[in-house]
Amino acid sequence: MSRLNQLSFFLISATGIFATLAYGTVHQPLIALFYLIVTAILLLWSAESWISGSIRFSRSPLQIPLILLGLYAFVQTIPFGTIAAGNGLADISRTISVDPYSTQVTTLHIFALCLFFSLALVSIDTAARLRRLVMVITVFGFIYSFYAILQSVLSPDKIYGIYKPQSAVPFGSFVNRHDFAAIIEMTICLPLGLIFAGSLRSDKKLLYFVAIALMGSSLLLSGSRGGLVALLAAIVLLIILTSTAKGRKNLILKVTLSAVLVLGSIAGAIFVGGDTSLTRFSDSVSSDDISSSRTQIWGVTLKVISDSFPLGAGLGAYAQAYTKFDPSGGYERVEQAHNDYLQIVADAGLVGLIVGGLFLFLIFRESIRNSKTTNSFRRGVAVGAFAGCFAILIHSLFDFVLHITAVATMFLTLLAILVASGRRYDDDSDDEVEARPKRRRAASVTPIR
């Protein structure tokens, strides 16, 4: 294994962590740095291909929806005629997008994420790397949660003790607490999957229980109601996936285990004190704050969909499209729909609906298939990664978490882990190999020589 390949894997493993710690990578300088990291990984892959004389790429169909979405975003910026001049303005190019510049920026971002995902799929090519990446994410989730809890006590209104957001409630390294919850939903599900699938040795279980309880406590302390709902949905999914056809006793054991983990997280949150997701459920979903008045935003989004369907208003152009129907007359700027499903239809119209449906279908098909592998460790990884992705899909009903670079990067990393869990490797441990011969699944990483 070449040094270039090892460095590429290191950068892929570190990118999600960097994006999370860098305020979620939502500021333009940090987004530019994210692009440079992806470019560096691409150059390493190209150099390795040149030296080895072969090009390795992934044939996973999960890449297709991202590519199609990026291509359609590009199409939305192509001029087709002009808008007549008037009021001292020259002719303006007519595009599908109502804000072509924002759509161009979004196009670049989609392709950068797609490139990262494709390179991650190629990079996880051994059982040792799969184990290492799962461990890195789990340990990061534990340490990050511990830090976030300390910060919530010592400096609750400042990130890293230096940056104080003016218009949101911060938590951890994020300006928005819901984005922190989204990261924890994914990091906590990997160890949960290993525990529920029985993939851990007895001497390691206590460490994982402690890590899970700490991550759960930090999620509750973040005050994200959507995050709590998503985590509970992920736990229910884990119970379903790991208790099928194993008897009533096994199901009761899993439910009891889930209850203990949830109660442990609640106890930890209560011990630390402060506002939590549970206490915030007593608040109304709608409030005077436009950022949390989701019902109003969703209603306006439906009007945007009706007005721009079937072509969409333009990916990344939601803020501009919203102003036409804004009941506040532009007093408050709303940049996201607080529902990724509504927004993809508002932005991309019928194409967004089809591409989004295809993406969900491919995720569920890959997840169900890989969660049935007889390899103990890879089965635990598969159900954990699936649960983490499922949690984000549920959370996306209430927030715009997938529009945050750090969340999207970690989500794609989990998807890459999910795909990798369905392969067989030459370095699988003796205690992990299938108990009986089974037809080898075709590798999804293909070299061209």
Side-chain angles (χ1 to χ4, degrees):
M1 191 174 295
S2 70
R3 302 259 179 163
L4 295 176
N5 187 279
Q6 292 175 351
L7 180 56
S8 176
F9 176 72
F10 170 78
L11 289 177
I12 287 171
S13 302
T15 300
I17 296 174
F18 160 76
T20 299
L21 297 178
Y23 301 106
T25 313
V26 295
H27 304 93
Q28 290 303 324
L30 294 173
I31 293 176
L33 185 54
F34 168 73
Y35 293 160
L36 290 176
I37 294 173
V38 175
T39 302
I41 299 172
L42 177 63
L43 291 176
L44 289 171
W45 172 82
S46 301
E48 183 195 7
S49 299
W50 177 270
I51 295 172
S52 64
S54 64
I55 300 176
R56 299 172 64 249
F57 67 95
S58 172
R59 293 184 287 107
S60 172
L62 279 168
Q63 301 167 96
I64 296 175
L66 291 176
I67 296 173
L68 292 177
L69 192 63
L71 290 175
Y72 186 61
F74 174 75
V75 170
Q76 289 180 315
T77 65
I78 299 176
F80 60 98
T82 58
I83 300 174
N87 297 324
L89 297 176
D91 290 349
I92 301 174
S93 298
R94 184 189 300 273
T95 59
I96 295 174
S97 172
V98 298
D99 187 357
Y101 174 75
S102 296
T103 302
Q104 289 172 351
V105 173
T106 302
T107 302
L108 174 62
H109 200 67
I110 291 173
F111 280 125
L113 289 170
C114 183
L115 188 58
F116 170 81
F117 181 47
S118 298
L119 293 169
L121 287 170
V122 173
S123 182
I124 310 174
D125 54 2
T126 65
R129 283 191 169 181
L130 180 60
R131 273 185 168 276
R132 196 172 302 131
L133 184 55
V134 171
M135 180 59 66
V136 165
I137 293 176
T138 302
V139 172
F140 168 70
F142 171 74
I143 297 175
Y144 184 52
S145 297
F146 181 70
Y147 165 76
I149 292 174
L150 285 180
Q151 179 175 277
S152 70
V153 175
L154 302 177
S155 181
D157 59 342
K158 291 184 179 180
I159 301 175
Y160 300 134
I162 56 176
Y163 175 43
K164 184 176 181 179
Q166 299 299 320
S167 58
V169 180
F171 203 87
S173 58
F174 289 93
V175 172
N176 191 317
R177 58 190 169 197
H178 304 295
D179 302 328
F180 170 86
I183 291 292
I184 298 303
E185 291 160 23
M186 292 182 280
T187 59
I188 195 176
C189 279
L190 284 178
L192 277 174
L194 293 172
I195 288 178
F196 274 73
S199 305
L200 294 174
R201 298 199 307 265
S202 299
D203 58 334
K204 291 185 176 181
K205 288 183 179 180
L206 180 59
L207 293 175
Y208 278 78
F209 280 134
V210 173
I212 290 169
L214 188 66
M215 285 188 269
S217 298
S218 69
L219 188 149
L220 287 173
L221 285 170
S222 72
S224 173
R225 291 169 294 190
L228 177 58
V229 171
L231 177 60
L232 294 176
I235 292 176
V236 171
L237 179 67
L238 284 170
I239 294 174
I240 294 173
L241 290 175
T242 58
S243 301
T244 305
K246 290 187 177 181
R248 180 179 178 183
K249 182 178 180 181
N250 182 271
L251 177 60
I252 294 175
L253 179 63
K254 296 290 173 62
V255 172
T256 303
L257 175 61
S258 301
V260 170
L261 291 173
V262 171
L263 290 174
S265 300
I266 294 174
I270 293 175
F271 175 77
V272 174
D275 191 26
T276 69
S277 302
L278 294 173
T279 58
R280 290 193 68 241
F281 266 109
S282 61
D283 300 333
S284 172
V285 175
S286 298
S287 70
D288 294 334
D289 182 3
I290 190 68
S291 65
S292 60
S293 183
R294 289 171 173 78
T295 52
Q296 174 181 296
I297 296 174
W298 294 342
V300 175
T301 303
L302 291 175
K303 295 179 181 178
V304 173
I305 293 173
S306 177
D307 181 67
S308 61
F309 202 80
L311 300 178
L315 285 152
Y318 177 82
Q320 182 70 21
Y322 185 93
T323 57
K324 182 177 179 180
F325 306 97
D326 187 359
S328 69
Y331 178 73
E332 296 282 356
R333 180 175 174 83
V334 178
E335 298 186 354
Q336 309 292 346
H338 290 266
N339 183 307
D340 285 335
Y341 301 95
L342 288 177
Q343 186 159 346
I344 190 63
V345 181
D347 288 355
L350 183 61
V351 173
L353 188 63
I354 295 173
V355 170
L358 175 63
F359 192 47
L360 293 177
F361 168 75
L362 292 174
I363 289 176
F364 277 83
R365 187 183 69 170
E366 187 81 16
S367 301
I368 293 173
R369 180 171 58 189
N370 293 354
S371 63
K372 295 179 181 179
T373 179
T374 55
N375 180 291
S376 175
F377 174 74
R378 287 191 277 109
R379 182 174 65 253
V381 169
V383 297
F386 181 23
C389 293
F390 182 73
I392 294 299
L393 296 176
I394 294 297
H395 199 161
S396 293
L397 290 168
F398 315 106
D399 289 300
F400 50 94
V401 290
L402 283 175
H403 285 75
I404 307 303
T405 305
V407 178
T409 301
M410 191 66 76
F411 179 79
L412 292 176
T413 302
L414 252 67
L415 278 185
I417 290 174
L418 175 62
V419 174
S421 67
R423 306 172 190 161
R424 295 183 63 188
Y425 303 97
D426 294 334
D427 62 333
D428 275 333
S429 300
D430 292 337
D431 60 340
E432 294 175 346
V433 296
E434 283 81 350
R436 53 189 177 186
K438 188 176 181 180
R439 183 179 178 182
R440 188 181 182 90
R441 181 178 170 186
S444 59
V445 177
T446 304
I448 297 179
R449 301 183 182 276

